[in-house]
Amino acid sequence: MTFTQEPRAAVRARPTAEGAVLDVVVPVYNEEADLGPCVRRLHAHLTAHFPYPFRITVADNASVDGTRAVAEALAAELPGVEVVHLAEKGRGRALRAAWSASPAPVLAYMDVDLSTDLAALLPLVAPLLSGHSDLAIGTRLARTSRVVRGAKREVISRGYNLLLRGTLAVRFSDAQCGFKAIRADVAAELLPLVRDTGWFFDTELLVLAQRAGLRIHEVPVDWVDDPDSRVDIVATALADLRGIGRLVRALLTGALPLPRLRAQLGRAPLPAPPAQVPVGLPRQLVRFAAVGVASTLAYLVIFVAARGPLGAQPANLLALLLTAVANTAANRRLTFGVTGRRHAGRHHLQGLLAFALGLALTSGALAVLHALTAPPRAVELVVLVAANLAATALRFLLLRLAMHHRP
């Protein structure tokens, strides 16, 4: 038995004067020295290696030096170079304005320092052109990425992305690499919901995309740090923390129209696979192990607390019974992704069957131990942990069979 999912439509160029399929935006602020070399190098690369019509948009956000004049001179010199001038600062504001006004069906941006090797540009946008993905990001944190930068920036970058994983449960690996692309139809829906106008713009856009069920493609990049970077790390970090807090509140209160976005933009779920095909076994094992560790710790706490007044066997029975019910509920939701009340009674009955088998293993181990000797408490605990490990493996097999059973 096989199944397929209809892919999204591949990008077709809109009817514009240039027929540009890709618009690469370069947001700048006071970059009169670096802008010329950057745009000329980017234009030469696209001309030589990009097989579709393109344009480059210089988004000048309130520069007070000669950046605007340099940008306009480049537009007059190079075909396909456009200039957007904004009266206020903010990278997010510049990207929103340039992307919203662009006629191209695929939109990208990169930092003016060109820290990212341009060889990654076509792999970045190709999945968007084909319709395979909705957004694409360059990542400096993949194993195959090659990155040259100082320890300070490395620690900050990895720490920020770990913070995002812990607070917003993101699955993308690098939120801040200045090398991203998005389909214009997706941008039209997401940009009005992105409130940040500065450096947190990227993160907010990606979180919305992930929560809307969109596919985010990641490209490992070669990246060399720009020693002349003018980013204020402290101010940016504080702004990022405020942005994370705002997003967490919006997600908790339901302020974002995520159901509508998922219905409108999200990809349809895959059809149910054949019953004999295991689903997500590695992930299930990891989650089951985590639940098992928590259950074992709870079991030991209850056993030790009840051992004195009740004795070994009754304490074992009580500890197993309490943790078995909690373990089944936790695995039902966290490990196997089963929600709602449907079949909940049956699942708990099968969990109790696993409990009975675990009780037999642990009680039998205790009985054999006490028949052989009068063991100290530490030996009892070691034997019970070993018996619980065997019971846990058996419980996983039984619960997995129960959760994936189709009536």
Side-chain angles (χ1 to χ4, degrees):
M1 175 180 177
T2 60
F3 59 88
T4 60
Q5 182 182 24
E6 289 297 322
R8 287 182 178 242
V11 163
R12 293 179 175 83
R14 299 179 183 179
T16 65
E18 303 87 359
V21 171
L22 172 67
D23 189 350
V24 182
V25 177
V26 182
V28 290
Y29 173 73
N30 291 350
E31 296 285 359
E32 62 178 346
D34 293 335
L35 181 58
C38 161
V39 172
R40 289 189 179 91
R41 180 181 161 196
L42 175 59
H43 191 278
H45 177 85
L46 288 170
T47 301
H49 301 289
F50 192 70
Y52 303 102
F54 66 88
R55 82 176 200 175
I56 300 170
T57 300
V58 179
D60 171 31
N61 47 324
S63 294
V64 294
D65 62 356
T67 296
R68 184 175 183 180
V70 172
E72 291 173 347
L74 289 167
E77 171 191 342
L78 301 172
V81 175
E82 306 287 339
V83 180
V84 174
H85 179 74
L86 290 90
E88 296 179 87
K89 286 178 60 177
R91 183 178 71 167
R93 180 180 285 110
L95 289 174
R96 185 200 314 275
W99 280 354
S100 298
S102 177
V106 173
L107 312 167
Y109 94 87
M110 62 182 60
D111 292 335
V112 69
D113 56 22
L114 295 186
S115 293
T116 304
D117 185 1
L118 291 177
L121 182 55
L122 184 55
L124 183 81
V125 301
L128 310 188
L129 293 167
S130 68
H132 174 269
S133 299
D134 306 297
L135 293 87
I137 65 173
T139 176
R140 299 161 295 185
L141 303 180
R143 291 184 178 180
T144 54
S145 299
R146 298 189 298 174
V147 177
V148 178
R149 61 176 168 182
K152 178 181 177 181
R153 286 185 175 272
E154 182 77 11
V155 170
I156 290 173
S157 178
R158 291 187 179 274
Y160 179 69
N161 284 284
L162 285 174
L163 178 63
L164 291 180
R165 288 178 180 271
T167 56
L168 294 168
V170 305
R171 295 190 296 271
F172 46 85
S173 66
D174 192 349
Q176 291 184 311
C177 181
F179 195 71
K180 295 183 175 70
I182 186 171
R183 290 170 60 105
D185 55 336
V186 172
E189 299 296 329
L190 295 184
L191 289 180
L193 302 175
V194 179
R195 291 177 50 188
D196 191 80
T197 59
W199 294 94
F200 190 68
F201 174 91
D202 301 47
T203 301
E204 189 168 357
L205 180 68
L206 289 170
V207 170
L208 286 173
Q210 177 184 300
R211 297 284 178 147
L214 298 172
R215 176 175 287 160
I216 301 173
H217 177 69
E218 298 198 8
V219 178
V221 298
D222 294 347
W223 196 88
V224 179
D225 194 13
D226 177 17
D228 190 36
S229 175
R230 300 170 193 178
V231 178
D232 186 331
I233 294 178
V234 174
T236 300
L238 292 174
D240 288 342
L241 291 174
R242 288 193 295 270
I244 291 172
R246 175 173 54 79
L247 263 186
V248 169
R249 287 194 301 272
L251 293 171
L252 290 176
T253 60
L256 295 169
L258 294 176
R260 176 183 66 79
L261 289 175
R262 279 193 293 266
Q264 184 174 348
L265 300 174
R267 295 171 180 269
L270 292 172
Q276 68 269 24
V277 177
V279 179
L281 181 58
R283 182 177 296 180
Q284 287 178 356
L285 284 171
V286 170
R287 294 183 179 180
F288 183 83
V291 172
V293 168
S295 298
T296 301
L297 291 175
Y299 166 85
L300 291 175
V301 169
I302 297 170
F303 177 82
V304 170
R307 172 69 172 81
L310 298 181
Q313 292 289 7
N316 177 54
L317 172 63
L318 177 64
L320 270 180
L321 182 61
L322 292 177
T323 55
V325 174
N327 182 282
T328 300
N331 278 311
R332 187 172 185 269
R333 177 66 182 88
L334 301 177
T335 303
F336 302 106
V338 179
T339 58
R341 297 182 179 180
R342 180 176 171 80
H343 301 314
R346 188 187 72 194
H347 293 159
H348 277 284
L349 284 174
Q350 289 164 319
L352 289 175
L353 172 61
F355 153 74
L357 294 173
L359 178 63
L361 280 172
T362 54
S363 297
L366 276 177
V368 170
L369 180 66
H370 283 275
L372 294 176
T373 182
R377 191 68 51 85
V379 174
E380 273 189 348
L381 292 179
V382 170
V383 170
L384 285 173
V385 168
N388 263 294
L389 288 175
T392 296
L394 183 60
R395 185 185 301 121
F396 176 78
L397 295 175
L398 291 174
L399 289 180
R400 195 168 197 274
L401 179 63
M403 302 300 173
H404 289 298
H405 173 71
R406 294 187 180 90

